[in-house]
Amino acid sequence: MAFQDFDKIQERVNANRKRKIKKRIIVGSVSLLVVIAAMVGGAFAYVAYEKKHEQQVKNNNKNDDSNLDTPKKSQSQSQSQTLAPTTPTPEDHVSAAQSVIPGPADKIIETLCSSTLYKITCEEALKNRTAKGFALESPTTLFTSAIEAVNENLDRVLEKVLSLQSENQDDKDAIAQCKLLVEDAKEETVASLNKFNGTEITDFAKIVPDLDSWLSAVMSYQETCLDGFKEGTLKAEVQKSVNSSQILTSNSLAMIKSFDANLSPVANVASLASRLLLDEIPSWVSNDDRRMLKAVDVKSLNPNTTVAKDGSGNFTTINDALRAMPEKYEGRYIIYVKQGVYDESVIVDKKKANLTMVGDGSQKTIVTGNKSHANTIRTFLTATFVAQGEGFMAQSMGFRNTAGPEGHQAVAIRVQSDKSIFLNCRFEGHQDTLHAYTHRQYYRSCVILGTVDFIFGDAAAVFQNCNIFIRKGLPGQMNTITAQGRVDKFQTTGFVVHKCKIAADEDLKPVKEEHKSYLGRPWKKYSRTVVMESKIENVIDPAGWLRWQETDFAIDTLYYAEYMNKGPGGETASRVKWPGFKVISKEEALNYTVGPFLQGDWINATGSPVKFGLYDD
């Protein structure tokens, strides 16, 4: 199925159905040989299945599609270099699972691991913990155990990174960056473990969206760590450790998806979306935040503090306002940034959760910078603005990197804030303008400008009602709007461009024949991008999509899809013939609307800035 890596849409139609769902556990059919564990007075009911070890190894080899590719390079670099996989195949990690006396735990472990890419590694990890006295009190304890294994492995990765020595400054920078990213990964695994505490099996579906988001981010952090090293001895040493933790993370994501799918009722996507044609707001947006998003006069929001370059506010710089923000603040903290160009590097760190920045307009309130890879700064660190704190929201703001096409990778904003929202914002740059790095992100009525890979990263991001303008780059340079970086098939990440306008910027229009432009190219093996119900002007090459580094890399494992696009650039007759590219149906497209794709529960609310379903309904 085209959407086998997505969680089924879960909707409780009414309160009665909710109560019924909480009281039952759906037992999988014997024909599918799926064991579903249920808590009944502390006991388990399950359907067992038997599989030979040799067949498991055979299946692993057959189904392996986990290799990762090299760091994203500038287009000039990518045209002359080829890829080298960085993650070993499953058979490289196959070893005989420890023999224990067969019992209920073993059967449940085998079944849960059957959905993973690395079955034997999964079984070995869980059975070893069982053999060491691990108490199987509930099926959810198996997931706790799996994530604990990830966390323990990350400790070993961190230990390895801290032990590395080099006199080369680039290596030192890579080590420092990797250390921070592994620490980020550990934070998210701990958050995932804490999410399980006190969670009943009947409430498992409620925590799945967070688990999917956080563990997908753990995969991304580890991949970015590897990307920071040049090919050589240091990278090889780190790679050995990171590969193991990535495999364990992949297994955890696969197990959660499989278990949740069997516990949850299967909803009819088409009928559900057709009933909810009003604009809606995600459930993780509070009532106060809803009012903020709908507000027209930003001055009526009663901000906590005001930034103004002319001295008419509480602070003259955004960074000063952030430093003054209380470490622990109940509710949403609002910073109003008055009109002006703020030339400063801004980081909204993880401690600053539920922060809103509101400007006077995306071309009036602008945060600007000019850091670039051409100036020997790592792409990850070139961002003018970084949003990390959970629940970050920005309205009527501009984010800019002025390094120009000569700067190559030069990021205007890096977003790794979970449940982040950008409304009426503007993102200006050339290569790598918007780094939609990790977690769940929503962009509404924004303007995005760039040349090469100017929307890139591994977030679950929806761009709705946005204007995407392709700019003129270096002589002979081709343009690609997206470079999505999903590294594992069980990650719930990808880019959705919905009801947007894609066009040439004014500087490109006279010379667009000299600069071929494409909707995207696959940065990583499971790159996923969907463009639907958008107007694509005569700027996109008829092929639509571009190969990565002129190779066949990822063309059979990526997921690129289009649905009901309009305009001369939306014609699909001459699109690439890759196995991974699809012109999808309405039923398939519904899976990529805001609700199911961002994996959130949604409520009815009129007049909101988010469209729940498709526009052609």
Side-chain angles (χ1 to χ4, degrees), residues 28 126 171 173 446 497-498 515 532 564:
L126 295 182
D171 288 340
D173 292 342
C446 293
V497 178
H498 189 196
H515 299 266
M532 57 188 191
M564 295 294 291

Side-chain angles (χ1 to χ4, degrees), residues 6 9 112 131 191 194 255 307 312 392 547:
F6 268 92
I9 296 180
L112 289 175
N194 291 338
M255 291 166 61
V307 179
S312 60
F392 177 79
R547 293 174 185 266

Side-chain angles (χ1 to χ4, degrees), residues 69-194:
D69 77 324
T70 52
K72 187 165 75 64
K73 305 181 186 304
S74 67
Q75 195 174 76
S76 58
Q77 292 172 309
S78 67
Q79 290 173 345
S80 62
Q81 298 183 15
T82 58
L83 295 169
T86 62
T87 296
T89 58
E91 56 264 30
D92 292 326
H93 290 265
V94 170
S95 60
Q98 180 174 341
S99 297
V100 295
I101 299 174
D106 296 316
K107 297 299 182 182
I108 295 170
I109 287 171
E110 289 171 10
T111 298
L112 289 175
C113 289
S114 69
S115 64
T116 67
L117 293 176
Y118 310 93
K119 301 176 181 65
I120 304 302
T121 303
C122 177
E123 290 183 17
E124 185 178 51
L126 295 182
K127 288 183 179 181
N128 282 346
R129 296 179 75 86
T130 304
K132 293 176 181 178
F134 168 72
L136 185 60
E137 300 173 353
S138 161
T140 56
T141 61
L142 284 171
F143 301 114
T144 300
S145 182
I147 298 173
E148 283 175 348
V150 175
N151 197 41
E152 291 168 3
N153 204 288
L154 286 171
D155 285 332
R156 289 190 283 273
V157 174
L158 187 58
E159 183 179 355
K160 167 57 69 176
V161 171
L162 293 176
S163 71
L164 298 176
Q165 299 292 328
S166 177
E167 296 302 319
N168 180 278
Q169 186 58 49
D170 191 63
D171 288 340
K172 290 181 179 179
D173 292 342
I175 293 169
Q177 177 175 298
C178 185
K179 173 181 176 293
L180 292 175
L181 289 165
V182 174
E183 289 174 344
D184 283 344
K186 280 187 60 62
E187 283 185 24
E188 311 244 350
T189 56
V190 170
S192 299
L193 288 170
N194 291 338

Side-chain angles (χ1 to χ4, degrees), residues 149-423:
V150 175
N151 197 41
E152 291 168 3
N153 204 288
L154 286 171
D155 285 332
R156 289 190 283 273
V157 174
L158 187 58
E159 183 179 355
K160 167 57 69 176
V161 171
L162 293 176
S163 71
L164 298 176
Q165 299 292 328
S166 177
E167 296 302 319
N168 180 278
Q169 186 58 49
D170 191 63
D171 288 340
K172 290 181 179 179
D173 292 342
I175 293 169
Q177 177 175 298
C178 185
K179 173 181 176 293
L180 292 175
L181 289 165
V182 174
E183 289 174 344
D184 283 344
K186 280 187 60 62
E187 283 185 24
E188 311 244 350
T189 56
V190 170
S192 299
L193 288 170
N194 291 338
K195 199 71 174 178
F196 275 114
N197 290 339
T199 299
E200 298 292 337
I201 189 171
T202 48
D203 293 327
F204 183 75
K206 294 180 180 179
I207 67 173
V208 166
D210 287 341
L211 296 175
D212 281 338
S213 178
W214 298 339
L215 292 175
S216 291
V218 170
M219 292 287 291
S220 299
Y221 295 143
Q222 295 174 81
E223 183 70 1
T224 307
C225 161
L226 282 177
D227 283 352
F229 290 92
K230 293 181 178 179
E231 295 298 328
T233 304
L234 283 182
K235 182 170 185 174
E237 288 186 42
V238 177
Q239 185 173 307
K240 291 178 182 177
S241 298
V242 169
N243 285 344
S244 296
S245 57
Q246 282 190 313
I247 285 169
L248 292 170
T249 309
S250 172
N251 285 345
S252 297
L253 281 165
M255 291 166 61
I256 289 168
K257 175 198 174 294
S258 176
F259 194 68
D260 179 56
N262 283 288
L263 283 179
S264 304
V266 179
N268 186 300
V269 180
S271 62
L272 170 63
S274 66
R275 293 195 305 269
L276 298 172
L277 299 181
L278 297 175
D279 283 348
E280 298 190 353
I281 296 178
S283 61
W284 37 263
V285 179
S286 69
N287 290 332
D288 288 340
D289 297 340
R290 295 165 198 266
R291 286 191 289 271
M292 191 284 292
L293 285 170
K294 298 174 187 178
V296 176
D297 182 6
V298 295
K299 297 178 183 179
S300 67
L301 297 174
N302 296 319
N304 297 85
T305 192
T306 299
V307 179
K309 289 184 69 68
D310 61 8
S312 60
N314 305 101
F315 303 97
T316 57
T317 70
I318 297 172
N319 279 312
D320 284 342
L322 286 173
R323 280 189 284 269
M325 179 179 172
E327 288 190 9
K328 295 182 179 180
Y329 184 83
E330 295 297 327
R332 181 158 290 277
Y333 193 87
I334 300 175
I335 297 178
Y336 169 42
V337 186
K338 287 189 175 182
Q339 178 175 343
V341 178
Y342 297 83
D343 189 355
E344 51 182 315
S345 296
V346 178
I347 298 179
V348 179
D349 63 44
K350 291 184 177 181
K351 295 181 180 179
K352 296 176 175 60
N354 299 319
L355 170 65
T356 294
M357 282 193 186
V358 184
D360 280 326
S362 65
Q363 296 192 74
K364 293 181 179 180
T365 300
I366 301 169
V367 188
T368 189
N370 63 358
K371 294 179 182 178
S372 71
H373 186 71
N375 289 327
T376 68
I377 300 174
R378 292 173 169 275
T379 303
F380 191 75
L381 302 177
T382 61
T384 300
F385 193 101
V386 177
Q388 294 179 321
E390 182 175 345
F392 177 79
M393 301 170 71
Q395 181 174 349
S396 304
M397 296 276 294
F399 305 91
R400 178 186 292 169
N401 191 311
T402 60
E406 298 79 12
H408 296 291
Q409 297 95 325
V411 179
I413 186 170
R414 168 161 50 92
V415 183
Q416 59 191 89
S417 164
D418 195 15
K419 303 175 183 177
S420 52
I421 295 175
F422 293 84
L423 179 64

Side-chain angles (χ1 to χ4, degrees), residues 411-598:
V411 179
I413 186 170
R414 168 161 50 92
V415 183
Q416 59 191 89
S417 164
D418 195 15
K419 303 175 183 177
S420 52
I421 295 175
F422 293 84
L423 179 64
N424 296 323
C425 289
R426 185 179 179 92
F427 309 94
E428 294 184 41
H430 284 80
Q431 182 169 349
D432 291 3
T433 302
L434 170 54
H435 191 179
Y437 183 34
T438 55
H439 295 303
R440 292 161 284 189
Q441 305 176 15
Y442 179 75
Y443 299 79
R444 172 82 175 197
S445 302
C446 293
V447 176
I448 310 166
L449 300 95
T451 54
V452 179
D453 304 342
F454 61 95
I455 302 174
F456 78 108
D458 193 23
V462 175
F463 302 88
Q464 198 171 77
N465 281 61
C466 294
N467 287 331
I468 299 173
F469 295 119
I470 305 172
R471 308 177 83 173
K472 176 185 175 182
L474 297 172
Q477 191 176 60
M478 292 183 289
N479 298 314
T480 45
I481 296 174
T482 65
Q484 205 281 325
R486 191 170 65 135
V487 300
D488 186 270
K489 68 184 293 183
F490 291 110
Q491 285 181 285
T492 55
T493 57
F495 295 158
V496 177
V497 178
H498 189 196
K499 197 65 173 180
C500 293
K501 175 183 177 181
I502 297 174
D505 196 34
E506 291 302 319
D507 66 347
L508 179 63
K509 286 181 179 179
V511 293
K512 65 181 180 180
E513 299 302 324
E514 302 172 17
H515 299 266
K516 287 189 175 183
S517 299
Y518 300 86
L519 295 172
R521 58 176 182 161
W523 180 22
K524 300 294 181 180
K525 189 169 184 178
Y526 291 96
S527 180
R528 176 161 55 190
T529 302
V530 178
V531 182
M532 57 188 191
E533 296 189 305
S534 294
K535 182 180 180 181
I536 306 176
E537 296 189 356
N538 189 21
V539 65
I540 296 298
D541 187 87
W545 307 84
L546 184 66
R547 293 174 185 266
W548 182 263
Q549 300 184 1
E550 299 181 347
T551 71
D552 288 339
F553 171 74
I555 64 172
D556 57 346
T557 51
L558 58 78
Y559 185 90
Y560 286 167
E562 296 184 54
Y563 171 74
M564 295 294 291
N565 295 313
K566 300 178 181 179
E571 296 292 333
T572 58
S574 299
R575 287 294 195 251
V576 293
K577 305 304 179 183
W578 304 342
F581 170 75
K582 304 177 186 300
V583 177
I584 58 178
S585 67
K586 178 178 179 179
E587 183 179 7
E588 291 174 309
L590 284 167
N591 288 273
Y592 292 96
T593 52
V594 172
F597 187 71
L598 292 183

